[in-house]
Amino acid sequence: MQSRHLGTIELDGGVGGGAMDGSVTFGGRTVPVRIEIDFPSRLGEGVVNDVDMVFDNLAFLDEMGRTTIAEGAERDSSPAAPVFREWAQARGGSASAEDFVEALAVVRVLVLPDGGADNRDRVVLTYAADDAPSLDTVRVKFVEPTGPELTRSYR
């Protein structure tokens, strides 16, 4: 199968699931990409088109991801809040959530096109602050059918 963005899709794995690592250019940088497919036997043009649609719309997904992070950065119960607080504290505590979101870059894209009822995640964008690489990352999961959700990930 041929992807417009990733070239030939060749999965590692077997009947229990397959994956492929690659990269795309986004935001002026090369971003690692991983595709995980639960049912490799169903890999066909439709699944490849779904994967390509993610990359066709990556700027839109990034915008939604950043909005989700901005909304959660100052909410204590949000996974983005502790990362934002650490980042702001390193800047004297006066930085805004908007400054934080602007400092973030997409550093990984995970695409899960066929998860079914057991795994409703379809795309996961991982963000890191370019000016603070030692901080934890923030992930935005695009969940079917509810939309974006924040999760905290650790380096």
Side-chain angles (χ1 to χ4, degrees):
M1 299 277 106
Q2 198 69 18
S3 161
R4 293 188 314 276
H5 298 277
L6 299 172
T8 302
I9 304 279
E10 293 181 12
L11 301 176
D12 293 332
V15 177
M20 181 186 133
D21 293 308
S23 63
V24 295
T25 301
F26 183 71
R29 65 177 60 209
T30 301
V31 178
V33 170
R34 181 167 178 88
I35 300 169
E36 293 182 2
I37 296 178
D38 288 344
F39 305 101
S41 63
R42 296 183 192 165
L43 178 64
E45 290 298 324
V47 172
V48 173
N49 286 336
D50 289 346
V51 169
D52 280 339
M53 288 293 290
V54 168
F55 299 112
D56 289 344
N57 295 292
L58 194 52
F60 175 71
L61 293 172
D62 177 46
E63 183 179 320
M64 286 178 55
R66 290 174 185 279
T67 298
T68 302
I69 293 168
E71 290 170 353
E74 295 177 319
R75 194 175 64 241
D76 285 340
S77 62
S78 165
V83 180
F84 168 58
R85 282 193 301 269
E86 286 180 60
W87 181 87
Q89 188 174 34
R91 278 143 199 80
S94 63
S96 69
E98 290 77 23
D99 294 334
F100 174 60
V101 169
E102 193 171 302
L104 295 175
V106 175
V107 295
R108 185 168 188 259
V109 178
L110 172 63
V111 182
L112 306 133
D114 70 338
D118 292 336
N119 180 7
R120 297 180 311 122
D121 299 353
R122 292 297 170 258
V123 177
V124 181
L125 300 180
T126 302
Y127 291 86
D130 272 344
D131 60 350
S134 64
L135 285 180
D136 293 338
T137 58
V138 177
R139 293 186 307 166
V140 178
K141 301 185 317 180
F142 292 84
V143 180
E144 188 179 294
T146 58
E149 296 178 6
L150 288 170
T151 64
R152 186 173 180 182
S153 56
Y154 303 94
R155 293 251 169 184

